[in-house]
Amino acid sequence: MARAGLSAPVNVTWEITFRCNLNCAHCLSDAGRASPEELTDEQCRRLVDQLSASKVFQVNIGGGEPFIRPGFMDLLAYAHQKGVVTCVSSNGTLIGRDLARRLARMKMLYLQVSLDGATPEVNDPIRGRGTYQRIIQAAENLANEGVLFSINTVLTKKSYPQLEDLRRLAGSFGAELRVSRFRPSGRGKQSRDHLGPDKEQLESFAAWLEGHELVRTGDSFFCLTSEKRRRKGLDMCGAAKMTCCISPTGDVFPCAFLQEQPFWVGNVKTDSLKSVWDHSLVFARLRNLQVETCVECSRFEVCRGGCPAMAFHTYKDINMPDPECLVNLNMEMAS
C-alpha cells in the first residue's frame, strides 16, 4: 500500500507562517520573518477546502509561530467547520488566559507546546532568555481551561538528562510528553554538533522509551524503537506515503525536514494537492525507496532504511541508511 500510494495523505504538516517571535537554535524552518509570498487568507481557505475534499484526517499546523499570524483563529474555526482535525504546534509564549479560553471552545483541536528543558538553565539557551517561565505559564493557562495539549521536547544532548523531569512536569499539567527527534534541517544544521544527541544517549533513549509507553514520539524514532513498541504505530518513514508538508508560501515537500529544492513537488497556489500527491515523481521515488545496504539487515522489514531526511542531511543522499538507526549505532559503539 505504501508503494502504491494512498488516495490522499492521512495527515498534512502545514507550516503556516515563517514569522516567529523566538529564534530557537534548532528551528527546522529557520523561522523569524514573514515572507511576502505567504498564502493569503483566501488561499488558506481554498487549501482547507482541498484538504477537506480529499478527506485528510488531520492537519498539523506549525510555523514559525501560528498564533502570531493575523486571523489564525478564524482559519482554525474554518478548518473545523470543514471537518478537518487540527494539531497546532506553538512555542506557547503568546498563550495567555484569554487565548486559552478561546482554544478551550474548539473541540477539534489538539495543541503541542514546545519546551526544551525541565529547567530554565537548559531550555532558555535553546529557545531564548525568559522563555521557560512564559511556557510554563502557558501550560498553566491551558490546564486551567481544560485544553488538551502535550509538552513537546526535541531530544538533544541537553534535554536527554531531563527526560524524567520533563515527563513529570508534563504530568503535573495533565499533559503527555512528546519527544521529537533532532534533525539537522533549518537552523539545526548549525546547531547539530552541540545539540544533536550522541550515540550513547540515543541507545539509552531507545531503552528508556521501552519503559514509557505513554510517551509520544509519532514516527520520529521508528528506527530507534523496540519491536514491541513499533507494533503500536507507524513502522517506517511516512513521507509521501502517509504525509506531506506545505510551506508558508504554498510549496509542497515530502515532509517538514525535506524542505529542500530537490524535493519540491509543486505549489498549492497553482497545483492541486491531489494532483501533486498522485503524480509527483519525487513522491513516487520515496514510496519505492529501498536502501540497498539495509536490505539484508534483520530489522529491514520494520525500518526500511530509516529516515531519508537524516540520510540527506548527513550524506546528501536519501539512498544511504539512517546514521542513527539502532543497528548502525550498535556497530559504531562496538567498534
Side-chain angles (χ1 to χ4, degrees):
M1 192 180 342
R3 291 191 183 97
L6 302 176
S7 61
V10 175
N11 63 66
V12 169
T13 295
W14 183 2
E15 309 291 351
I16 205 162
T17 184
F18 286 119
R19 187 179 174 191
C20 191
N21 58 328
L22 301 185
N23 189 43
C24 299
H26 53 25
C27 179
L28 70 91
S29 55
D30 196 10
R33 295 182 178 180
S35 165
E37 301 299 318
E38 290 184 10
L39 298 178
T40 65
D41 289 349
E42 180 56 33
Q43 288 169 332
C44 285
R45 284 192 289 270
R46 287 204 295 268
L47 177 55
V48 169
D49 291 341
Q50 290 188 52
L51 297 169
S52 176
S54 295
K55 295 182 170 53
V56 172
F57 175 71
Q58 179 174 295
V59 179
N60 301 324
I61 302 176
E65 170 52 43
F67 291 114
I68 212 168
R69 179 182 169 119
F72 177 61
M73 291 295 287
D74 293 334
L75 183 61
L76 268 185
Y78 184 76
H80 299 162
Q81 177 188 332
K82 289 290 183 174
V84 178
V85 176
T86 58
C87 177
V88 177
S89 295
S90 169
N91 63 40
T93 60
L94 303 179
I95 303 177
R97 291 179 182 177
D98 289 343
L99 180 54
R101 237 175 255 122
R102 293 179 66 188
L103 294 171
R105 295 195 288 269
M106 294 185 161
K107 303 306 179 187
M108 298 177 70
L109 169 74
Y110 190 80
L111 197 65
Q112 292 177 180
V113 177
S114 296
L115 182 69
D116 281 306
T119 60
E121 290 74 20
V122 171
N123 175 83
D124 288 8
I126 297 172
R127 306 196 69 82
R129 183 180 298 178
T131 55
Y132 178 84
Q133 291 301 333
R134 294 166 69 187
I135 296 164
I136 293 299
Q137 184 59 61
E140 290 180 358
N141 293 336
L142 293 168
N144 289 339
E145 296 299 331
V147 179
L148 290 175
F149 75 101
S150 62
I151 296 288
N152 186 74
T153 191
V154 176
L155 185 70
T156 65
K157 282 187 177 78
K158 312 297 184 182
S159 66
Y160 169 78
Q162 295 191 329
L163 286 175
E164 277 296 333
D165 292 334
L166 282 162
R167 188 178 66 85
R168 285 192 289 268
L169 181 63
S172 72
F173 297 112
E176 293 178 320
L177 176 65
R178 186 180 190 276
V179 185
S180 293
R181 190 173 178 187
F182 182 97
R183 289 181 174 92
S185 62
R187 284 197 289 275
K189 295 176 183 178
Q190 287 72 49
S191 60
R192 184 179 193 177
D193 287 345
H194 74 273
L195 286 182
D198 60 36
K199 298 178 181 65
E200 290 77 12
Q201 289 174 328
L202 288 166
E203 177 79 8
S204 297
F205 175 71
W208 184 82
L209 271 182
E210 178 72 3
H212 296 87
E213 295 186 356
L214 295 181
V215 173
R216 296 170 175 260
T217 61
D219 68 341
S220 299
F221 292 100
F222 56 86
C223 68
L224 289 172
T225 54
S226 67
E227 307 309 317
K228 176 184 174 184
R229 185 180 174 92
R230 188 188 305 280
R231 288 194 294 269
K232 295 185 174 183
L234 191 65
D235 62 3
M236 66 180 73
C237 171
K241 305 179 187 77
M242 300 184 71
T243 186
C244 65
C245 174
I246 301 169
S247 80
T249 58
D251 290 324
V252 184
F253 299 93
C255 83
F257 301 98
L258 283 176
Q259 295 185 71
E260 306 278 344
Q261 189 57 38
F263 304 101
W264 179 88
V265 298
N267 188 291
V268 297
K269 293 176 182 175
T270 54
D271 308 304
S272 75
L273 185 60
K274 172 67 173 170
S275 175
V276 168
W277 181 260
D278 287 344
H279 303 299
S280 163
L281 295 178
V282 172
F283 281 11
R285 181 185 174 198
L286 281 161
R287 288 167 189 156
N288 291 277
L289 184 65
Q290 184 160 301
V291 181
E292 296 298 335
T293 56
C294 296
V295 172
E296 300 301 322
C297 176
S298 62
R299 285 170 59 90
F300 179 71
E301 287 303 319
V302 290
C303 180
R304 302 286 173 153
C307 174
M310 284 299 298
F312 176 78
H313 290 297
T314 303
Y315 311 112
K316 298 302 178 187
D317 185 356
I318 62 171
N319 294 294
M320 293 290 286
D322 188 327
E324 294 180 351
C325 170
L326 274 180
V327 173
N328 288 331
L329 285 174
N330 287 334
M331 290 175 63
E332 289 188 38
M333 290 174 75
S335 64

